[in-house]
Amino acid sequence: KAGVTQTPRYLIKTRGQQVTLSCSPISGHRSVSWYQQTPGQGLQFLFEYFSETQRNKGNFPGRFSGRQFSNSRSEMNVSTLELGDSALYLCASNGGGPVYEQYFGPGTRLTVT
Amino acid sequence: GESVGLHLPTLSVQEGDNSIINCAYSNSASDYFIWYKQESGKGPQFIIDIRSNMDKRQGQRVTVLLNKTVKHLSLQIAATQPGDSAVYFCAENYSGNTPLVFGKGTRLSVIA
């Protein structure tokens, strides 16, 4: 069974631009969570989607948004990029059990210049 | 691979020695705790978990200890190997469907 895949793996954007990241969960998993990982703040929860509905949301500004499609694939979007948005963005999928039973993808490294 | 963190505390241990990684958690109501390992270029991987009604749990070469009185969690790795070099995170959870809250992480460096 394939693991969680994230595309692209690396991305460089300019301040003010927007970006869309994609996550394909493990086959059969309906829950997808997104995290931002930075050296200063560590791993911080962005949001979780389950069956195309946002189930949980972290404490991030409205520039960060996401969605989930009927095939459980998820995208997150960051608009009006700031330098501080440079981070590793991790996606985790869950098979429908408690949120802690999740499997992480390798992440997308976003660099904002 | 990706740099997980430049500001993490680092623990350096000799190959074959035991490692102890500590974590202070924040919510006294948290009822589930997990340790993750993150290698360069990869996402976090589950190592071991423990529920709040336990104070110790053992896995293969790893043991997690929970002290609820002082909100402290530790991960012990026996006979540390070079492949154990990674960043280790603890995470806490309160009531199943709320998001995990992660600690800042500790970088384990194994000296061969």
Side-chain angles (χ1 to χ4, degrees):
Chain A
K1 191 183 263 193
V4 179
T5 57
Q6 293 186 244
T7 56
R9 291 294 311 277
Y10 302 92
L11 203 50
I12 299 175
K13 289 286 190 179
T14 304
R15 196 169 41 180
Q17 288 186 313
Q18 74 165 14
V19 67
T20 299
L21 311 181
S22 180
C23 171
S24 292
I26 292 170
S27 178
H29 284 194
R30 294 162 61 193
S31 166
V32 173
S33 296
W34 288 90
Y35 295 84
Q36 182 194 65
Q37 186 174 33
T38 60
Q41 298 298 319
L43 265 162
Q44 291 189 292
F45 174 77
L46 280 156
F47 27 67
E48 182 209 359
Y49 286 87
F50 180 80
S51 294
E52 302 179 64
T53 301
Q54 189 178 84
R55 185 159 69 174
N56 281 301
K57 188 178 188 305
N59 189 26
F60 277 81
R63 298 185 299 107
F64 292 81
S65 63
R67 60 178 175 169
Q68 187 179 33
F69 301 95
S70 57
N71 62 357
S72 293
R73 189 178 70 85
S74 177
E75 290 181 345
M76 66 162 282
N77 183 277
V78 188
S79 62
T80 320
L81 283 165
E82 300 177 359
L83 296 179
D85 297 332
S86 294
L88 181 67
Y89 289 88
L90 290 160
C91 159
S93 81
N94 178 287
V99 70
Y100 43 77
E101 293 179 354
Q102 55 187 347
Y103 300 86
F104 284 86
T108 294
R109 166 64 67 186
L110 171 65
T111 301
V112 182
T113 62
Chain B
E2 292 83 6
S3 171
V4 175
L6 300 176
H7 312 301
L8 298 173
T10 298
L11 175 66
S12 296
V13 298
Q14 205 73 33
E15 181 180 358
D17 286 352
N18 296 335
S19 304
I20 300 176
I21 300 170
N22 296 304
C23 174
Y25 63 92
S26 58
N27 186 354
S28 57
S30 290
D31 53 13
Y32 190 76
F33 305 89
I34 311 171
W35 279 100
Y36 286 94
K37 173 186 180 183
Q38 187 173 22
E39 298 173 278
S40 181
K42 297 182 180 179
Q45 296 173 275
F46 172 92
I47 302 173
I48 191 168
D49 58 359
I50 189 168
R51 293 194 177 278
S52 59
N53 61 354
M54 303 170 70
D55 53 23
K56 180 179 179 179
R57 189 166 189 220
Q58 289 185 288
Q60 187 177 14
R61 279 202 310 118
V62 294
T63 300
V64 55
L65 299 177
L66 174 64
N67 185 332
K68 295 182 289 292
T69 303
V70 294
K71 293 192 289 185
H72 183 267
L73 201 61
S74 69
L75 176 71
Q76 300 177 359
I77 304 174
T80 312
Q81 303 168 0
D84 295 327
S85 293
V87 176
Y88 290 81
F89 295 94
C90 66
E92 60 183 299
N93 179 251
Y94 170 66
S95 136
N97 281 323
T98 57
L100 286 173
V101 175
F102 285 82
K104 292 283 195 255
T106 297
R107 186 182 304 278
L108 176 64
S109 177
V110 181
I111 305 162

